[in-house]
Every structure is written in C-alpha cells, then in structure tokens.
Amino acid sequence: MASVEVIKRQGLSGDIAGTLTRQEARFAKDDSQRLKHFGIYQQQDGNMVRLKIPGGRFSTEQYLAVSDIAMRYANRQFMITTRQDVQFHTVRPQHLPEIIRLLDSLWTTTQGACGDVVRNVTSCPVSDIDRDSSYNTYAVAKRLSDAFLLNASAYFEVFIPEKLMPADLPAVNPVYGEALLPRKFKIAVGLSTDNCTFPHTNDVGLMALVNPDAPHGIEGFNVFVGGGLGSTPLKPNTHPSLAQPLGMVDEAQLLPVVQAVVEIQRDHGNRENRKLARLKYLVERWGIERFRAEVHERLARQGLGIELGTPRPMSGYRVSSHLGLHPQRTPGRFYWGLPIANGEISEDGQVTGKHDKAIGGSNLVFFRNLVRDYRLGVRFSVNQDLILTDIFASDIPEISQRLQDHGIPTEAEVSPLRAQSHACVGVYHTASLDFPGEIARYCPLSFTEAKLFLPRLVQELEDAGYGHLPVPINITGCPNSCAFSAIGGIGLWGALKRQADGHEYFDMLIGGAMEGSAPRLALPFRQRLRDDLVAPTIKVLFDLYQREQRADESFSDFCYRLGADGLQQCVPAPRG
C-alpha cells in the first residue's frame, strides 16, 4: 500500500491546527499530504492555494475577493488554471484561515481542489449566456460538483472552527470512504457543438448531444471514461490516454452513472502504485466491456432501471475559444473573452504575454477595478482565458478604451498561433540564472522553465511568418502534461532540467487535436531536443505542412496522414 494511503486512513486533521497555532513556517511532511485535500500544496516558497469553483464562474464579489487575496496574502498575482480554477502562490501558513474564511463567506471553497477526490468539474463557460447556445452545461457541472464535494469535517475544524456544523457530520463525503480515491479524478462536461472543455482528457467526460428541437435542447449525453494526459519519466507503462465511450444516458441518469464510475475506481483502482492509480489504467487493465458490465451491475443493484444506451456517433468536433465580444441571451448584454497569457493575472508584471504589449505589464488591479466599476461577472475558460460577462452595450466603448489605454490585448491583436499557445506554471526561482533549476518557484515537478520558454518560442515563430497558423503549442515543464502537451499540435514537455551546457531539453510531440474528425493524442516525434533546436524543428515542420497540405487539411490531419515515421524522414534531426 502506498504511504499516502496510510496517511489518508489516519484522518485529514493531523497536526495542521497545531502548526497554525504555533505559527510555524512549515507543515510536517505527513500533514503536507493531508493539506492537498484542502486545496493546499506546500512548496519551497510558501503554499500554493487552489480554489474549487465548478465551471470557473465568479460573481462580482467573488472576483473582487480573489483579487484582494492575491494582493494581500499571495505574491500579487493569481493563475487561471486549465480546470477553470484559481491558484495563489507563496501563501504563508498563518494566512490560510483568513483566506478560507473569506472564501467560505462567499460560497466558495478550496477543499477538493487537490488531492485524491473529484477535482473541479469543468464546463463550457458561456453555455448559459451565449445567445446561440441551446443547452446550459453549468447546471450539470454544479450538480456533480456538489455531489462529490469532499465536505471534510477536518476542513472546518481546522480553518473555520467558529462555523456551526452538524454534530453528526461524517469525516468526509460517504461516497469516498475513509481512504478517499486512489488518485485524483477529473470530470468535464462538454457540448457536441463545442468541445471546449476537452472531455476526452478526463476520467469521466460527458458530452451533451445538442438538438435544439429536443426537450431541454439535447438528446442525452455520451459518457466517456478513462482519459488522462499525464505520464511518468522513465516509466513506459505510464502514458497519456483519451477516454473511451461507455454509453449514452439521459440527463436525469447522469449522477447515478457517474457515481457508479467513481465507486468502481474507489474500490478497484490501484492503491499500491500511485503512478498507475488513475482510472485510465483500470479501464485499460479490465477492458471497456468489463468496465461497462461493472457499471451495469452497480446500477442494477440500485434498482433505478438505468440502462446504458449505445453512444451516439459524432461526425466532427469543434472547439471555441470564446474570445471576442459576443451577444448574450439577455438583450443589450454582452460577454467579452480576453486572451490571458498562461492565465497569469499579476500586478508586478506578467512573466509572459500573448501580445508584446502585455510583456512586463500588470493586469491584476486593472481587472479588479474594471469588474468593480461595471459590476461584471467573470468566467474562466479551460484555455486559461478571462471572460467578462453582463456588459451593457452602452459601456462597451468605454471598456474598450480602458483595455486599450492599459495595453490589454484583445483577440484582434493576438495571432492565431499565440492565442492557442499555453505553458504550465513551471518557473525556477534562484539567486542566479547562470544555473537555474534547483528550486522550482511554482511547481516542484517542473524540469524546464516552460513559462519563460513559451513567449520566446512564439515570438521567434511569429517573426518568421508563422503567426497565422492556428496550431496549438502546449508546453509543460514535466510529462504530467498540465498544459495539454499530450494533445498539442506541437506538444513539448520537460525531459531534462538545465544542464552544464546551459540548455534545457524537451520531448516533442506533434499532431494532437481536440477538434476535427476525432480527438487525437499527439504523436511522439523527438526526444530530449535541446531548447535552442525547438524553434528550427517547428519551422521545418510548418514549412513542410504549408507546402504539402491538402485542401482544408489541418495540421493534425497532416501529421496523422504522414505519420510520425514519415515525418521523421522528412524532418532531419537538427544539428547543434
């Protein structure tokens, strides 16, 4: 049994409260594992704190609170994550109760944002307000999120002891049991008309089958199981996977079906080896037919009369960025999607920018004041962009001018290549940049400075004339693929930290996509590619694509048509 399993069975309280009472700077090692289930990661420079807010939507007051927390308790910035969450960094232990009390007062929480539970449930950020949307995915996401909330009594005892809670409150949500799940568990709700949440990359992906003429605007849901993009270095039995079709169900049947899947993972997931503990490995080990049979059996025992139908075929997939100004269902109201580099909202200068005007710029106080002055709602996309909602038509010119005056780029000012590029938070923090890599500022797993490497790479490609290509470039500092490297048009993940030669090294993948004829994983292409050889390699690939592509052929289709072996022959390994 993995050591974390023992800690979970001992309870989630530990001596966390004692550390806070004694005002100590660090939590004990075992308690750092417990804290993850409360959305808190202990890092070298304080703590990372992550919110859990389904669908990534904030009221005016909630967004103002997030901004204030970033200014008062964190490092004057927060990150929008690929799960529509918020992450704060460098938070001191003594500030955790204040932060959690404030969030709790605004109906938000951090518990379950990390740890071996159902993480933040993602959904299309605008399906409830977009004028042309036929179905609201948020209602489903919220219902699932509420059903699987950790609801740990220790969370309240440690951080909000003054809150009156039922005397018989169980230690955790009974669906989890004392040992919780073997590993994290991710759920996404998408639309057959908009694959913007990438359901196939989740443990459970739910695809609403849109039909405006059907009751409630949908014919039901396709359910997929066993997705996940992470892998472990030097462990060939770990790998990215796309979720497989389990069946089709009505909306009213979703919760029992998803709960059956969660319970199967709870009871049969690997608790000996955490590297093989995700649901995808259980589905792979059993096969989808056995897994489906187990779901049927659990549903039958409940006597609900639920049958999994045959998944509905889909002819193609489309992904919307939700960038730009769009009308809402409410007449006279609009939402405006703005590109945010790697989801970084910072007052002391962004490390990266999706436009040259944003590099070194600040946007934390600007967006806080904008949201306050116009009483706007805020949504976050899986692509880590920010969406302002409930904008009155009469306010658009003034808001537009304020964006321009502050140097905030809009969708028209960002190239297609840059708009679709993403990197994880991996940035090293050292006294000298001569040999960085010993202390990771934002993530201890990162081998490479993905966040710093991406803007330089994109700028070089734009300068060379490739900015018009809508090819996602996804860079993650390690093979966990937090920035979707495993589905990137160009996917890079860290292979070696900076070496004595002064270079970092990446593995390169190509041809991934979440739109087109079918979702696709990226194909392995180069291993341990030196950082200064990444751009030349991409340029040769892009030149070949533009020269050899067929009519309306996407970069993903092109890569899959030629195959990794064919492209290896066409693109010689660069010499450096």
Side-chain angles (χ1 to χ4, degrees):
M1 181 182 295
S3 60
V4 174
E5 293 296 320
V6 176
I7 294 171
K8 288 188 292 185
R9 285 168 169 81
Q10 293 171 345
L12 296 180
S13 295
D15 191 36
I16 298 171
T19 299
L20 296 174
T21 300
R22 295 188 296 270
Q23 298 186 350
E24 295 173 352
R26 303 282 293 176
F27 293 98
K29 182 179 178 181
D30 286 359
D31 285 344
S32 70
Q33 294 295 332
R34 295 183 172 95
L35 281 166
K36 291 179 182 180
H37 300 90
F38 302 151
I40 300 163
Y41 273 81
Q42 182 165 256
Q43 298 181 331
Q44 291 284 351
D45 190 14
N47 296 278
M48 182 273 281
V49 180
R50 183 185 296 158
L51 269 65
K52 185 176 186 181
I53 185 157
R57 58 188 59 200
F58 297 79
S59 67
T60 301
E61 289 73 19
Q62 288 172 331
Y63 185 82
L64 296 180
V66 165
S67 300
D68 291 344
I69 289 169
M71 289 293 291
R72 292 178 60 191
Y73 302 119
N75 56 344
R76 294 164 59 89
Q77 70 173 24
F78 67 83
M79 303 289 187
I80 304 169
T81 79
T82 55
R83 296 208 67 76
Q84 300 175 294
D85 282 331
V86 165
Q87 283 185 190
F88 304 105
H89 289 268
T90 70
V91 175
R92 301 305 176 194
Q94 63 266 30
H95 294 146
L96 292 173
E98 299 171 64
I99 292 171
I100 289 173
R101 286 191 188 100
L102 175 57
L103 294 172
D104 185 73
S105 72
L106 293 169
W107 301 96
T108 56
T109 188
T110 65
Q111 63 168 324
C114 314
D116 296 342
V117 294
V118 172
R119 300 288 187 89
N120 203 41
V121 181
T122 60
S123 70
C124 175
V126 297
S127 62
D128 62 321
I129 58 174
D130 186 85
R131 187 179 63 183
D132 300 322
S133 177
S134 300
Y135 181 75
N136 174 15
T137 60
Y138 174 70
V140 170
K142 182 66 165 62
R143 188 158 65 248
L144 292 171
S145 181
D146 290 346
F148 297 111
L149 182 64
L150 177 60
N151 211 25
S153 57
Y155 181 79
F156 301 103
E157 292 165 1
V158 170
F159 297 110
I160 323 176
E162 69 276 10
K163 185 169 183 175
L164 294 177
M165 302 300 296
D168 59 348
L169 183 70
V172 296
N173 186 330
V175 74
Y176 292 124
E178 66 169 1
L180 307 180
L181 300 180
R183 281 289 268 123
K184 59 187 173 184
F185 196 101
K186 298 180 179 180
I187 301 173
V189 187
L191 295 156
S192 59
T193 53
D194 185 1
N195 199 34
C196 68
T197 57
F198 310 156
H200 292 79
T201 67
N202 288 254
D203 296 271
V204 169
L206 305 173
M207 187 74 72
L209 302 167
V210 174
N211 181 352
D213 297 326
H216 309 294
I218 61 168
E219 297 176 358
F221 282 83
N222 278 349
V223 181
F224 301 87
V225 295
L229 300 182
S231 60
T232 303
L234 305 178
K235 299 290 182 182
N237 57 341
T238 68
H239 52 78
S241 296
L242 294 181
Q244 302 180 47
L246 179 71
M248 177 182 171
V249 297
D250 295 332
E251 179 181 341
Q253 302 169 334
L254 274 180
L255 181 54
V257 170
V258 175
Q259 182 164 329
V261 175
V262 171
E263 290 175 350
I264 291 170
Q265 166 67 348
R266 178 196 66 197
D267 297 342
H268 298 283
N270 191 328
R271 293 184 184 270
E272 301 295 327
N273 185 346
R274 288 181 64 81
K275 294 179 175 59
L276 299 174
R278 290 291 296 276
L279 179 68
K280 62 183 178 181
Y281 297 114
L282 177 61
V283 174
E284 181 180 282
R285 178 159 51 91
W286 279 10
I288 191 63
E289 293 302 329
R290 177 183 171 185
F291 193 92
R292 186 180 293 116
E294 179 67 19
V295 172
H296 272 297
E297 182 178 333
R298 290 187 181 241
L299 294 172
R301 288 202 298 263
Q302 297 178 45
L304 300 178
I306 298 175
E307 293 288 337
L308 294 173
T310 302
R312 188 70 52 85
M314 293 181 58
S315 58
Y317 293 82
R318 172 182 170 270
V319 174
S320 173
S321 69
H322 305 300
L323 296 178
L325 191 64
H326 304 271
Q328 295 183 189
R329 291 176 180 173
T330 304
R333 299 283 187 100
F334 293 80
Y335 69 88
W336 199 337
L338 297 168
I340 304 295
N342 303 328
E344 183 179 341
I345 305 295
S346 173
E347 187 53 25
D348 292 328
Q350 291 178 281
V351 175
T352 60
K354 281 196 174 177
H355 185 267
D356 56 6
K357 289 195 298 185
I359 296 178
S362 57
N363 56 9
L364 175 58
V365 172
F366 171 81
F367 279 123
R368 184 197 186 283
N369 292 342
L370 197 69
V371 169
R372 178 200 61 197
D373 293 348
Y374 298 96
R375 306 303 298 171
L376 304 177
V378 176
R379 311 282 175 88
F380 297 151
S381 73
V382 167
N383 279 331
Q384 300 172 275
D385 292 321
L386 181 145
I387 301 168
L388 302 172
T389 69
D390 301 310
I391 302 172
F392 284 103
S394 57
D395 290 331
I396 291 174
E398 191 171 283
I399 290 175
S400 177
Q401 188 62 53
R402 287 177 67 165
L403 291 170
Q404 182 177 344
D405 290 346
H406 199 77
I408 302 296
T410 61
E411 71 289 347
E413 300 174 273
V414 176
S415 73
L417 184 72
R418 188 176 290 264
Q420 298 198 45
S421 64
H422 300 278
C424 75
V425 299
V427 173
Y428 293 114
H429 181 226
T430 60
S432 169
L433 291 180
D434 292 336
F435 195 82
E438 296 306 314
I439 300 177
R441 182 181 180 189
Y442 294 119
C443 179
L445 302 178
S446 184
F447 296 137
T448 56
E449 298 193 303
K451 190 176 180 182
L452 299 181
F453 183 69
L454 176 66
R456 297 195 296 266
L457 173 63
V458 172
Q459 189 65 57
E460 182 172 347
L461 294 173
E462 285 179 335
D463 291 345
Y466 303 105
H468 65 287
L469 294 176
V471 179
I473 296 178
N474 302 81
I475 307 180
T476 308
C478 75
N480 279 336
S481 201
C482 299
F484 301 128
S485 301
I487 57 170
I490 300 291
L492 298 165
W493 60 45
L496 292 173
K497 71 178 184 180
R498 196 175 302 276
Q499 300 294 296
D501 62 5
H503 293 283
E504 298 176 330
Y505 290 76
F506 294 88
D507 289 345
M508 178 182 286
L509 306 93
I510 58 173
M514 285 289 104
E515 57 186 343
S517 57
R520 291 168 170 161
L521 290 174
L523 302 168
F525 183 66
R526 290 275 195 270
Q527 287 189 314
R528 297 191 174 183
L529 184 64
R530 205 173 68 198
D531 52 11
D532 63 332
L533 299 179
V534 169
T537 301
I538 295 175
K539 291 176 185 178
V540 177
L541 278 168
F542 283 173
D543 285 340
L544 182 66
Y545 167 58
Q546 293 183 108
R547 188 170 63 248
E548 302 290 343
Q549 72 176 126
R550 295 173 178 173
D552 299 321
E553 185 176 42
S554 69
F555 183 71
S556 175
D557 288 342
F558 170 76
C559 290
Y560 265 77
R561 175 167 62 85
L562 271 66
D565 291 341
L567 287 168
Q568 291 280 11
Q569 297 176 18
C570 297
V571 183
R575 297 182 180 274

